Structures are given as C-alpha cells and as structure tokens.
Amino acid sequence: MKTEAQVSKSSLTKALPPEIELSEALRRSQTWEDKRTANWPPMVWVSKSEDLKTRMAKALARASQCRPVDVLEVEATKALNQKPLPEKVQVAEKEKSEVFFTRPCWSNKVEYILTQVGYSMKISSMWRFFLLWLHNGGCIFLIIYILMLFLVGVPLLFLEMAAGQRMRQGSIGVWKVISPWIGGVGYTSFMVCFLTGLYLNVVNAWTLFYLGQSFHFPVPWEKCPLLENSSDFDPECARTSPSMYFWYRVTLKASDRIEDGGSPVFSLNLPLLVSWCLVGAFMINGLKSTGKVMCVLVPAPYFIILCLLFRSLLLEGAAFGFQHLLLAKISAMYNMNVWCQAGNQVLFALGLGFGPVVSLSSHMYPSTNCLSDAFVVALVNLFTMLLVTSFSFCVLGFWATIITHHCNEKNAETLAKLVTLGKLPVEAQPPPNLADNPSSIFNSWLSGLHQPIKDMVLSYVTECNLEKQFLKVKAGPSFALVAFIETMSFIPGSVFWSILFFLLLLTLGLSSMIGIMQGILTPLQDTFSSFRNHTKLLTVVVFVLMFLCGLFFTRPSGIYCIRLLSEYWMVLPIIIIIVLENIAVGWAYAARRFLEDLAIMWGPLASPIIRWLWCFLSPVVLLALFVITLIHLSLKTITYVAWDSNSVRFPPQIPDLPREW
C-alpha cells in the first residue's frame, strides 16, 4: 500500500514509535472522500513484526472513529527494512492549517437499523402487499414472496448496503467509483428519489388533513353534508357514499379529468407545509437528531397496529375477512404474472434502486457487517406487512358485512313501499325487524318465497352479496384506503379509532420521508463540497424547493398524476436501475473482488453463495421481471380511475372511467 505523502529519506531524522501505524490517508478515510479515488483508503505499515490481521484490526479500529480532524498531520516512515524513526514528521505550514471535516456517522447501530426499517415502511407498499395477497393466490402469494425475498431481495439489499459502506459515498458517487461507465445510474436514482419525495409528502398532507378532521364528532365522512338553507343532502353525495364524497370533493376537490388542472387546493397547502416542516425539524441537525427521532417514529406504528388488530378481531365479520387471509390457490404457483408481481413488490417494499439505502449505509462504520443488517431489515419489513395485512383483512371483513347489512335494509324498505303502493302482493312484505342480523334474516326470508313472487321481488331489489362486496377492494389502493376510512366511522368510538388510524399513517409516512430525504441530501453534499459547510442551509433550501414543487400534486388533478407516476412511470426505471447496479458490482467491478474488499473489513463471508446470487440468479430474475413488466405495460392501456360528478353511483361502485394519458 502507498503512503499519502512521500518524505525523502534525508528529511527523516528521528524514528516513529512502533505503536503508531496509521497514516493520514487512513484518517481521511472518514472524511468526505475525494470522488476521483476508486480504491480503499491507503494505509502505512510501520511495524515489521506485526502480522497483516493485527495491523488491519488496528487500522479499522481507528477508521471507525468518526471525529473531526482539526489539523492535518502526516506521519511517515522509512522502508520496512530500515529502523523506524522516533518522532512525527510535520508537513508544511500550508498543509498544516487545512481543516478536514469527517463524514457524519450514526451514533449507534440501532439508530441506523431503525432508519433503514422506517424508510422501507411505506404506506403504498403495505396496501399493495395486501391487495396482491387478496387477488394473487392468498397464502401461495406469501410463499412466492418469501422465495423472491431471500433469493433476490436480501442479496440486492446487501449489495446496496455494502456499496455504501465500502465506498463511503451517496447514491450518485458510489456507482462512479465502482465503474465510471455506470455513473449515470446514480443521477437517475437521485431523480427518481426526488420525484418520489414530492408526492409521498403530499400523501402525508392528506393524512394530516384527515387527522385534523377526525376531532369532529361525528366525523365529517360519516354522513352527507346538507345543502345551504335546506334540509336536503347534497345530491352528489347522495348518489355515492359519504366517505367517497369527502375524499374526492372535500379533500381533493378532484376534477373530472386530468386535463382540468386548476390552482393548488388551498385546504391542502397548509397540511403540506406542516408536513415539510415536521420532516425538516427532524433532520435539521443531521444524523444526530434523525437517529433519535427514528427511535420514536419506527416503534410507534407497531403499538398502534397491535391495538387496531386486537380491536378488529372483535368486530362483526372479522372472521369472514380472516378466512380470506388463510385461503390458498395452488394454481397461482404456476402463474408467471404472480411471480412477476411478487418480484416487483420485493423491490419496492425494500426501497431498492431509489438511493436512500446506499446513502444511509454510507454513514455507517466500515467495520460493521451489513449482511446481518440486510436480513434484519428484510425480516422486519416482512413482519410489518404481515401485521398490516392481518389487520386489513379483519377490518375489511367488517366493512363488507356492514355494507351488506345496509344494502339488505334498503331493499327491505324498498319492498315495503312497493307493497304499500300495491305494486307487489302482500306476500312480498319483508320481515318487520331486521336489526339483529339484516343479511341473514332477509336472505332466509327471500329463499322461502314461492318462485313467482321471488322473481318479482328480485326484479326490484339490489344484489347484496357479501363475497362480491369484499372483493370490490380490487379497485385499487386508493379505494381500499377510502373503504378503511369509512370502516372507522362504523366502529363504536369512531373518533378515537380514526385518530389512532391516521396517527399510524402519519408515523409510517414521516419515517419513510426521512429516508427519502436522506437519499437526496447526502448525494448533494458528496457532489458539491461547498454544501458540506452549510448543511442546515442546504436542508432548508431543498425542503422549500420541494414544497413549492409538491404544490403541483395538490391541484384538483394531482391525484391522477400521482396514480400514473406510481403505477406506470416508477416501475420500469427502478427495475433498470437495479439491473445496472447488479451488473456493475457482479460483473464490471467483479463480485469476487468486491467480496474480497469486504472480507478485509468484516472477515470471511458466505462468498460463494452471495457471488453466485449476484452473478447469475439475480441478473436473470431481474431481466425476466423487466421483460415481463415491459410487455405487460405495452399491452395495457394507460388508464386512471377518475371522479365523474355527472354519473356518481351508490357505494362502493367507483366510476372507473379509463382515460388515456
């Protein structure tokens, strides 16, 4: 290994003590690194008697200390075949006056792991996992997901973590160091991360708006609003559900088409500003404050989820929802589309390709083995999605039961009016009391009618099928969220449970936003050295800029742009980024060489298995995902679900109006 500064033999008059073995180059391994350096920071060995492992251990022990270096001092030695010099050799006064800033490091490993876990706990991933479970084979989908997680997800998560720790760079610089020809991947992931942060915080703004409205009793989405100076309900709300009306017309003020832009919705601007202020306050002091905040934000959702889960198990219809949770369709095992959906879900659930995983890892001590960290983050993420899915099935089972009860009660009222008007015979008079179990009593009465009268009755009533009602959540994550909000209004003590539910969404959203923003700030500081001296100013400027850009998604058509971005635009770029990252480490840099570099820091790894996964299995699976996803998107018409104020139907039938973009 080479020394950082070469000192001529004539200037070396005194020997260094034998215990001093670390050069200034190694001290600078913790500073903001020079982007042109592609090798691990060089070291100087001075004691000939020490073996390689002992000297490396001492070097890494010093390297793991993240402290500011106030004065640059260079220690030099003679050649190994000469006696060591007894004193330090000082550099010139010009070099001595320079000040180098150390790269900030996490206070401890717990804060680092919690931040990685918090970043992976995105609301969209939770809902998407639930919907995929429901419509792609049930428990069979879980088996497929676990296989993809451990064969592809964990190795790629380990790759990004190791790249960040090894190169000590953010998402832009790390790939330049690994292979110059793939440097564009870093800029692409940075832009994807930037755009994702814009609309993810808009989701947090929606949550804050709902949270503020939850303190009203009753909650405003429980009943339709009355017209001004009238006792009649708003006719637009009367044709749909109160929760759907509140979501589209009150919260979003949604337009009928994506072309109808309009100005930002004023009622969402303040929640968006509050959301950015919260994230900014959590991150303004760097990793020191971020780590402490994540110690609260990450554990809190688990407490709330457990409370909601225990409450949902006591609701009527929870058993029906739990039955769907345990269903398994063997045919899904042979469906390539299910495997593709599971693979994409693994990539998005772990947050691969966006850049925050690399950026967060670059601030971790180099001597920390991140293979175990990757397993911990992946398992905690899986456990979280299983908890949310179990809770979701129980709650939506209750929701479907209540909606079916209301449907049967409305049918009974309709039949009673028709009998009174003489349009139906007296035999068609429904039972007088349906309060105990409307669906069971009404269906039993209907099945006991004579066939001619039954046919007459069926021509006037609406079908109320519990199974079909439950499966209507396939309309998309937005509809599942609206159904969830509607369910909160049915539960006794709706105000308390609504507040608790939105606190859950808010903590999940803020923790993932902190990870996203770390993936934006770290590359900027690595790329532009002047930003390192003004980290607080940089944080404020970036947050103000992103707040102003995020106003685009608070317009009446903003919800449609978010859906198109998340469902179509995001998929292919992320897969391409991950493919190129895998090829860069596995083949361009060489997986064997990369693992040997890691072995210097951590000791021997399961290199044959990891190398085989990086070089063969992961690239093949990723390319297959890319091809299948590309074919699927090319054959599918780009559509979005829009609110149509002219043809609103009774819940939960959302007007699904395809509109090409």
Side-chain angles (χ1 to χ4, degrees):
M1 300 186 179
K2 298 180 180 179
T3 57
E4 180 78 1
Q6 297 294 338
V7 182
S8 63
K9 291 184 179 180
S10 59
S11 64
L12 302 177
T13 58
K14 297 182 180 180
L16 283 168
E19 64 272 9
I20 299 176
E21 75 290 331
L22 187 60
S23 72
E24 178 58 28
L26 183 56
R27 288 191 181 187
R28 292 182 60 189
S29 68
Q30 292 300 312
T31 63
W32 297 94
E33 295 84 0
D34 186 354
K35 309 303 175 300
R36 297 169 296 178
T37 304
N39 297 322
W40 190 248
M43 302 176 186
V44 176
W45 313 112
V46 300
S47 177
K48 193 173 182 179
S49 60
E50 291 180 303
D51 61 0
L52 180 61
K53 291 184 178 180
T54 303
R55 291 178 290 180
M56 183 60 70
K58 289 185 178 182
L60 292 176
R62 294 278 188 90
S64 64
Q65 298 175 1
C66 301
R67 297 180 301 180
V69 181
D70 296 328
V71 179
L72 176 62
E73 294 182 358
V74 178
E75 300 170 356
T77 78
K78 273 189 172 184
L80 290 178
N81 58 353
Q82 296 182 1
K83 295 182 180 180
L85 298 175
E87 295 181 357
K88 299 179 182 178
V89 179
Q90 305 293 332
V91 296
E93 290 297 326
K94 181 179 179 180
E95 295 181 356
K96 184 176 179 179
S97 62
E98 295 180 10
V99 177
F100 290 88
F101 297 92
T102 61
R103 188 178 190 84
C105 287
W106 297 98
S107 299
N108 53 69
K109 191 173 182 178
V110 173
E111 294 181 0
Y112 164 69
I113 294 295
L114 288 176
T115 307
Q116 289 281 17
V117 170
Y119 161 66
S120 68
M121 293 165 54
K122 294 180 284 292
I123 301 173
S124 57
S125 298
M126 303 296 172
W127 290 121
R128 180 176 170 81
F129 184 81
F130 157 71
L131 293 173
L132 290 174
W133 185 308
L134 179 61
H135 300 290
N136 289 277
C139 293
I140 297 299
F141 174 79
L142 176 62
I143 296 174
I144 297 174
Y145 181 87
I146 292 176
L147 289 174
M148 297 292 289
L149 179 67
F150 287 103
L151 293 178
V152 178
V154 173
L156 293 177
L157 181 61
F158 169 60
L159 183 148
E160 290 199 359
M161 286 182 171
Q165 281 195 31
R166 167 67 175 82
M167 305 303 173
R168 311 289 289 163
Q169 295 286 329
S171 58
I172 292 180
V174 67
W175 307 112
K176 290 182 179 180
V177 175
I178 290 177
S179 182
W181 63 269
I182 208 170
V185 171
Y187 293 102
T188 306
S189 64
F190 178 84
M191 289 305 302
V192 171
C193 188
F194 181 84
L195 292 175
T196 303
L198 292 182
Y199 70 77
L200 276 186
N201 225 20
V202 174
V203 177
N204 292 337
W206 298 341
T207 304
L208 283 171
F209 180 80
Y210 266 94
L211 181 61
Q213 297 294 323
S214 297
F215 289 92
H216 294 84
F217 182 80
V219 288
W221 52 86
E222 185 175 343
K223 296 179 180 179
C224 286
L226 297 174
L227 294 174
E228 293 184 6
N229 302 323
S230 174
S231 59
D232 297 330
F233 292 112
D234 188 321
E236 193 173 1
C237 178
R239 293 193 297 267
T240 183
S241 67
S243 60
M244 197 69 64
Y245 176 84
F246 187 85
W247 167 247
Y248 279 102
R249 303 303 288 168
V250 179
T251 304
L252 303 177
K253 293 181 171 55
S255 59
D256 289 355
R257 302 182 306 163
I258 194 173
E259 294 84 1
D260 302 333
S263 58
V265 178
F266 180 77
S267 58
L268 290 178
N269 293 344
L270 180 59
L272 181 62
L273 178 62
V274 172
S275 180
W276 278 113
C277 289
L278 285 175
V279 179
F282 295 156
M283 301 185 65
I284 193 67
N285 291 323
L287 300 184
K288 181 180 179 181
S289 63
T290 301
K292 302 298 183 293
V293 169
M294 296 305 285
C295 290
V296 177
L297 284 181
V298 176
Y302 293 99
F303 173 76
I304 299 176
I305 291 173
L306 289 176
C307 292
L308 292 172
L309 178 60
F310 291 146
R311 181 65 183 93
S312 65
L313 291 173
L314 303 176
L315 297 174
E316 181 184 4
F320 175 79
F322 207 78
Q323 289 174 3
H324 282 77
L325 176 69
L326 301 178
L327 288 178
K329 297 180 181 178
I330 304 299
S331 59
M333 186 67 73
Y334 311 103
N335 190 334
M336 289 300 300
N337 184 54
V338 176
W339 284 86
C340 179
Q341 295 278 10
N344 288 335
Q345 174 63 18
V346 167
L347 301 182
F348 281 90
L350 297 178
L352 301 175
F354 290 88
V357 173
V358 176
S359 297
L360 293 172
S361 300
S362 69
H363 294 285
M364 194 56 190
Y365 303 104
S367 58
T368 302
N369 189 334
C370 59
L371 180 59
S372 59
D373 299 344
F375 275 100
V376 170
V377 172
L379 290 175
V380 172
N381 179 264
L382 176 61
F383 174 73
T384 306
M385 290 192 295
L386 290 176
L387 274 182
V388 173
T389 300
S390 303
F391 161 60
S392 302
F393 271 98
C394 293
V395 169
L396 291 178
F398 169 71
W399 169 79
T401 302
I402 295 298
I403 294 295
T404 306
H405 286 345
H406 289 175
C407 178
N408 283 308
E409 289 174 351
K410 187 174 182 179
N411 284 339
E413 293 176 2
T414 302
L415 293 175
K417 291 180 180 179
L418 292 174
V419 170
T420 303
L421 295 174
K423 294 184 179 181
L424 288 176
V426 180
E427 291 81 357
Q429 179 69 36
N433 187 9
L434 300 178
D436 296 335
N437 193 338
S439 299
S440 178
I441 296 174
F442 185 84
N443 290 331
S444 299
W445 168 79
L446 185 62
S447 61
L449 293 175
H450 297 295
Q451 192 61 39
I453 299 178
K454 184 178 181 179
D455 293 338
M456 295 175 61
V457 169
L458 291 176
S459 63
Y460 288 100
V461 299
T462 305
E463 182 184 10
C464 304
N465 188 288
L466 181 61
E467 184 75 21
K468 292 182 179 180
Q469 186 67 41
F470 185 86
L471 295 177
K472 281 180 179 178
V473 294
K474 67 181 179 181
S478 178
F479 178 57
L481 180 61
V482 172
F484 230 92
I485 295 171
E486 187 176 40
T487 307
M488 295 296 108
S489 64
F490 297 150
I491 302 176
S494 58
V495 173
F496 171 76
W497 295 109
S498 295
I499 293 174
L500 205 61
F501 175 69
F502 291 118
L503 283 176
L504 169 64
L505 297 185
L506 184 62
T507 52
L508 290 175
L510 291 177
S511 60
S512 59
M513 269 304 301
I514 289 175
I516 289 287
M517 294 310 302
Q518 197 66 49
I520 294 174
L521 295 176
T522 297
L524 288 177
Q525 291 175 324
D526 287 341
T527 305
F528 303 99
S529 59
S530 58
F531 291 163
R532 303 167 195 163
N533 299 326
H534 309 283
T535 55
K536 292 185 178 180
L537 179 62
L538 173 66
T539 303
V540 173
V541 170
V542 170
F543 279 42
V544 171
L545 174 63
M546 295 188 70
F547 164 72
L548 296 176
C549 294
L551 293 176
F552 174 83
F553 295 105
T554 63
R555 301 183 308 153
S557 61
I559 179 64
Y560 309 138
C561 297
I562 290 176
R563 285 175 179 170
L564 292 172
L565 283 172
S566 60
E567 295 176 12
Y568 297 99
W569 185 86
M570 295 288 296
V571 180
L572 283 180
I574 288 299
I575 297 178
I576 293 174
I577 289 171
I578 299 173
V579 169
L580 294 177
E581 289 178 358
N582 193 180
I583 294 176
V585 174
W587 294 97
Y589 191 88
R592 182 188 297 274
R593 175 188 171 193
F594 190 79
L595 290 171
E596 288 174 352
D597 293 342
L598 299 181
I600 296 176
M601 296 189 295
W602 306 330
L605 295 168
S607 54
I609 299 176
I610 298 295
R611 187 170 67 250
W612 182 80
L613 292 174
W614 283 353
C615 294
F616 302 105
L617 182 63
S618 295
V620 172
V621 173
L622 290 173
L623 289 175
L625 287 177
F626 172 75
V627 172
I628 295 173
T629 304
L630 182 62
I631 294 174
H632 178 72
L633 292 178
S634 62
L635 297 178
K636 182 179 179 181
T637 303
I638 298 180
T639 62
Y640 61 94
V641 179
W643 174 268
D644 192 342
S645 57
N646 297 321
S647 60
V648 180
R649 292 175 287 179
F650 186 75
Q653 300 172 358
I654 303 177
D656 190 353
L657 304 177
R659 303 188 190 279
E660 295 186 2
W661 192 36

